[in-house]
Amino acid sequence: MDTDGTYGTYGTQGAEGTQGTQGAQGAHGTYGAPGRGGAPAVPPPAHPPRPAHPPAAPTGGGTGGIVPWLRTPRPDAEPGVWRFGHRPRPREEPEAVPARRLFAGALIALLSGWLLWSLLWNNYLGDYWLWPLYLLTPDAWRGTMAFVVAWYVYVGLVAAGLLVFFARVGHVPEIWRRYVRKKDTPPPPPPPEADPADWPELRAAGLADVAARLADATRSGALGDVDYARIRRAWQGVRTRPERLAAFADAVRAQGAAACAHPSGVRDLPVRTAVHDLVTGQVRIGTAADHPRNPYARRTTGVALEPEVLGTSLIAVGPAGSGKTVRVIRPVVESLCLQALANRAAVVAVTAQGAALAPDAAFDVVVRVGRPDSTHDLDLYGGADDPDEAARMLAEALVGDLVPDSRRAATALAQLIGPYRAAHGHFPAVPELRELLGGSPEALAGLRAAVAGDPAQLRELDARARQAERGDDIGVLLAERIAFLDRPAFARFFGGGGGTPAFSPRAIEHPLRVRVDLPERGHAEASRIVARLLLAQFTDAALARGDRSLFACLVLDDATYTVTADSVRAIQRLRSAHAGVVLALRTLEDVPEALRGPLLGAVGCRMAFAGLAAWDGGRFAETWGTEWVQTRDVTNRQIIAEEPLTKALHFLRRLVTGKAATAEAITVREVERQRWSASDLAHGVPPGHAVLSLTGVRGEYTPPLLVDLRT
């Protein structure tokens, strides 16, 4: 237990976790930017408060707490299936009998059974049907009460057999399933040793009093779904590091449902707009449409996103108003924020100022670039100590969208910021860097004088001076691009001496919730530079993490002109680092032409919204490829009957089925066709829908599905 009374040892702890509350609280001060300290943000309270409201449905709350939510089955399923209460469907669609044929056939079958029974009962067919009764009963029973009882039993069995036989012939069970049975009976409550509300794992570990404390909180409603997920996360860390068992038990005994709290002390979001299941980490975004293009097993099933699929990264493409932000980005950010409160994830959401992505209270850090009321700064160099590493990320942000290879730009930057750091102990701020890149004689002379005793740094400056004399020097372009950040609105940002703590994506080793608001309206080009900078810094930080127990995700609500060649290569590597990115685009035209195909190939999850342009649809169609399908060509020829009996049979068939007697010739062929063609994606996706394909981090693949995002 920490000295302030909070149980933070497991604040960022998982199966492989090594970070504690000290590191998490430290992140609130510098946020991963070494050497750029500042006053910590609001510290976690000594006693974390209870949630202001019970979790929204289906997570429970009120009488009985979250017990029904915990007991709901969550069977294993394919990626993207909403597992909460999921009932698997058959792989193939059963042959559906029309209602008219179904009821007519049932009526005829039952009348036929009644007719046969009448003939047997009245001995119109003789008493041969009674011979098993005489065979199985002794002769001495004749005329006795025992024979009368045996006779009634035998007749009842024959009647029941006839009823069952003709009911099956008439498809009566299908009528029952289709029109009578409305729902399945609820499953019985699990036994105590398997009831998650009783915390059986803790009881099995000898912590009966701890389990009883949590079970009481679970049933009373004091423990919410975030609390359950957070304590389960801490218990997983205990199973990996048994020496922490005593600290875990003491914390639960002392704080109950508030134990193992998030460093902020918050136990729930102020408001939820989506349906979440924190047992599986899923957020529901829609329902697979009951459409012939969807596999029958997936129709009408819920569709959800979770870290297992977001770990392969997701790209969502659709015009403005198609629902990208409201139907996908907002639920994903909300889900990741909840999982961060459960010490399972870290999220950095980048959006335009004024976008209704989530309220400020849902985040630990809100960076408003270019706004004087912003409480946090951005680290221009991503918390890097190495000049070459810092130069590579900054070059990616400044010119990655203009040049196919930013290595020359990174070299030019390193030749300046390396000597500057050696002379001053920190990297240059934006104004100083602009002067150096612009070749200011005073700035370069001062820097040369500051490193006069360091031959290695002088060689770097000499090399930069020689390159500056070339006509194709990359420094000119770098100076032009850095000028977009050297504006009065950004004077206090990027190391401008504003005195506020600096945020860097290096802090994603802690369960942080961060939102960065970009000034797209007044500074569109600067916003794109910052977005590219955050993407480069995030991928670098995610791949360099020592502790990868937290799922880290960067969400770009508008990734216009953000994707570069280096970022595409980095995105491909994120799935092995337990991290991913979510990119939203209005059109693939906002990505350089040479990168459109590689980008769709680098991400594992692809989403095309209604209203997609045909040329964008062509890219998706090419990526999703083709499949083999069976086509059936049916030729019907009416049968003309000549005999009276045949005519009568044909008339009876027409009465039952509503169709004339025909002879069918069926030709079955297998043809290869696109899963979704460019025309289908451009014109066949209804409003409020999207076509989504998913890939899990272990390689599981879901073919593109038509998803109704409104349900």
Side-chain angles (χ1 to χ4, degrees):
M1 183 181 295
D2 293 337
T3 56
D4 62 356
T6 61
Y7 180 74
T9 304
Y10 300 90
T12 59
Q13 202 58 247
E16 302 175 0
T18 59
Q19 300 297 325
T21 299
Q22 183 178 359
Q25 292 180 4
H28 282 69
T30 63
Y31 295 99
R36 300 272 318 279
V42 179
H47 300 284
R50 290 183 56 184
H53 57 81
T59 56
T63 304
I66 61 172
V67 174
W69 173 74
L70 284 175
R71 290 176 176 174
T72 302
R74 297 166 175 85
D76 293 335
E78 298 176 354
V81 174
W82 174 249
R83 293 169 51 195
F84 182 83
H86 171 65
R87 293 188 179 94
R89 288 164 56 92
R91 288 288 178 183
E92 301 292 336
E93 181 178 6
E95 184 178 356
V97 181
R100 179 179 176 181
R101 288 179 55 188
L102 201 61
F103 283 101
L107 180 60
I108 293 175
L110 293 179
L111 288 176
S112 300
W114 176 78
L115 177 61
L116 179 59
W117 173 250
S118 298
L119 295 175
L120 294 176
W121 180 260
N122 293 298
N123 287 333
Y124 289 118
L125 301 179
D127 58 355
Y128 300 104
W129 63 285
L130 296 174
W131 69 266
L133 174 64
Y134 293 106
L135 182 64
L136 297 174
T137 55
D139 295 338
W141 283 18
R142 307 295 186 270
T144 64
M145 183 58 65
F147 183 78
V148 173
V149 173
W151 187 88
Y152 277 108
V153 171
Y154 176 77
V155 170
L157 291 175
V158 172
L162 290 175
L163 180 63
V164 171
F165 174 76
F166 283 99
R168 288 189 174 275
V169 170
H171 299 288
V172 173
E174 176 66 21
I175 296 177
W176 174 268
R177 287 191 297 268
R178 191 182 299 185
Y179 300 103
V180 179
R181 188 181 63 184
K182 298 299 182 184
K183 60 180 180 179
D184 296 332
T185 57
E193 63 274 9
D195 190 352
D198 285 331
W199 300 82
E201 300 92 340
L202 300 185
R203 296 183 187 276
L207 302 176
D209 59 331
V210 175
R213 175 73 186 272
L214 292 177
D216 292 342
T218 302
R219 289 183 167 83
S220 66
L223 184 140
D225 58 343
V226 177
D227 299 324
Y228 177 83
R230 189 186 64 250
I231 295 174
R232 288 282 302 176
R233 163 83 172 176
W235 175 245
Q236 291 173 3
V238 171
R239 295 178 62 182
T240 305
R241 305 287 294 275
E243 66 271 13
R244 294 173 177 161
L245 179 62
F248 171 81
D250 291 342
V252 176
R253 292 189 187 104
Q255 301 180 21
C260 317
H262 183 265
S264 68
V266 177
R267 294 169 56 191
D268 202 354
L269 296 180
V271 63
R272 300 189 188 186
T273 61
V275 180
H276 305 271
D277 182 21
L278 289 176
V279 173
T280 59
Q282 292 184 315
V283 55
R284 181 169 180 145
I285 62 171
T287 304
D290 190 3
H291 191 274
R293 299 297 292 270
N294 286 343
Y296 182 77
R298 293 300 302 268
R299 298 177 194 172
T300 71
T301 61
V303 178
L305 297 176
E306 58 184 308
E308 287 296 317
V309 296
L310 294 178
T312 64
S313 299
L314 180 146
I315 182 170
V317 182
S322 58
K324 299 188 301 298
T325 298
V326 176
R327 308 290 185 184
V328 176
I329 301 299
R330 182 191 295 174
V332 167
V333 171
E334 190 175 282
S335 174
L336 292 172
C337 287
L338 287 171
Q339 294 187 58
L341 292 179
N343 297 323
R344 290 178 173 179
V347 56
V348 179
V350 183
T351 183
Q353 288 180 356
L357 193 60
D360 293 353
F363 297 94
D364 302 308
V365 176
V366 178
V367 181
R368 296 180 175 91
V369 180
R371 292 280 298 274
D373 58 344
S374 179
T375 58
H376 294 84
D377 191 1
L378 274 182
D379 189 342
L380 188 65
Y381 302 97
D385 292 320
D386 180 45
D388 292 322
E389 181 183 357
R392 177 178 54 80
M393 293 185 290
L394 185 55
E396 179 77 4
L398 293 176
V399 299
D401 61 325
L402 299 179
V403 298
D405 190 347
S406 60
R407 285 179 293 183
R408 284 184 57 206
T411 301
L413 285 169
Q415 290 169 343
L416 293 174
I417 67 174
Y420 191 97
R421 180 178 177 83
H424 301 283
H426 58 84
F427 292 123
V430 171
E432 290 81 6
L433 182 58
R434 182 183 181 185
E435 288 185 350
L436 293 173
L437 288 172
S440 170
E442 295 81 4
L444 290 173
L447 181 57
R448 182 176 291 274
V451 296
D454 191 337
Q457 303 301 336
L458 288 175
R459 286 195 299 270
E460 290 286 283
L461 292 176
D462 291 339
R464 175 88 285 272
R466 290 193 299 270
Q467 292 175 7
E469 296 175 355
R470 299 175 52 179
D472 60 346
D473 178 36
I474 193 69
V476 177
L477 180 59
L478 288 171
E480 293 177 355
R481 301 310 293 272
I482 199 68
F484 287 110
L485 302 182
D486 189 18
R487 306 296 301 161
F490 308 132
R492 53 161 293 187
F493 283 88
F494 315 118
T500 56
F503 167 74
S504 161
R506 298 250 172 163
I508 59 175
E509 289 197 358
H510 310 288
L512 281 177
R513 303 165 294 157
V514 182
R515 193 186 79 210
V516 180
D517 294 345
L518 301 179
E520 290 186 355
R521 294 179 181 176
H523 304 276
E525 194 60 43
S527 297
R528 293 165 184 171
I529 291 175
V530 174
R532 286 194 297 271
L533 180 66
L534 288 171
L535 178 57
Q537 292 180 354
F538 175 85
T539 54
D540 183 80
L543 294 171
R545 284 189 303 171
D547 178 12
R548 296 180 175 180
S549 60
L550 292 178
F551 175 71
C553 189
L554 173 70
V555 181
L556 288 171
D557 190 29
D558 185 2
T560 301
Y561 301 114
T562 301
V563 178
T564 65
D566 287 343
S567 65
V568 170
R569 287 189 288 268
I571 288 172
Q572 290 177 312
R573 301 169 55 198
L574 287 179
R575 68 178 65 186
S576 63
H578 199 202
V581 298
V582 178
L583 307 174
L585 289 165
R586 296 183 183 89
T587 172
L588 288 175
E589 297 292 316
D590 293 336
V591 177
E593 184 176 2
L595 297 179
R596 294 167 193 169
L599 174 62
L600 289 176
V603 300
C605 306
R606 309 169 188 94
M607 201 167 190
F609 285 75
L612 198 71
W615 46 87
D616 286 340
R619 291 285 185 178
F620 279 95
E622 181 181 356
T623 303
W624 281 327
T626 60
E627 63 180 345
W628 288 96
V629 296
Q630 281 190 347
T631 61
R632 300 179 60 184
D633 296 330
V634 181
T635 304
N636 290 322
R637 179 180 59 85
Q638 184 174 354
I639 301 175
I640 306 299
E642 300 294 342
E643 300 295 331
L645 180 59
T646 307
K647 288 184 177 181
L649 292 175
H650 286 184
F651 174 77
L652 181 61
R653 176 177 176 176
R654 185 168 186 174
L655 180 65
V656 173
T657 65
K659 298 180 180 179
T662 58
E664 291 185 348
I666 301 177
T667 303
V668 180
R669 296 181 301 170
E670 284 197 352
V671 297
E672 188 177 13
R673 73 173 186 186
Q674 288 183 318
R675 298 180 185 272
W676 281 85
S677 68
S679 178
D680 292 335
L681 291 171
H683 308 292
V685 180
H689 291 63
V691 180
L692 169 67
S693 67
L694 298 172
T695 303
V697 293
R698 290 184 294 270
E700 311 95 327
Y701 175 74
T702 297
L705 303 172
L706 180 63
V707 180
D708 187 350
L709 302 173
R710 303 166 299 181
T711 59

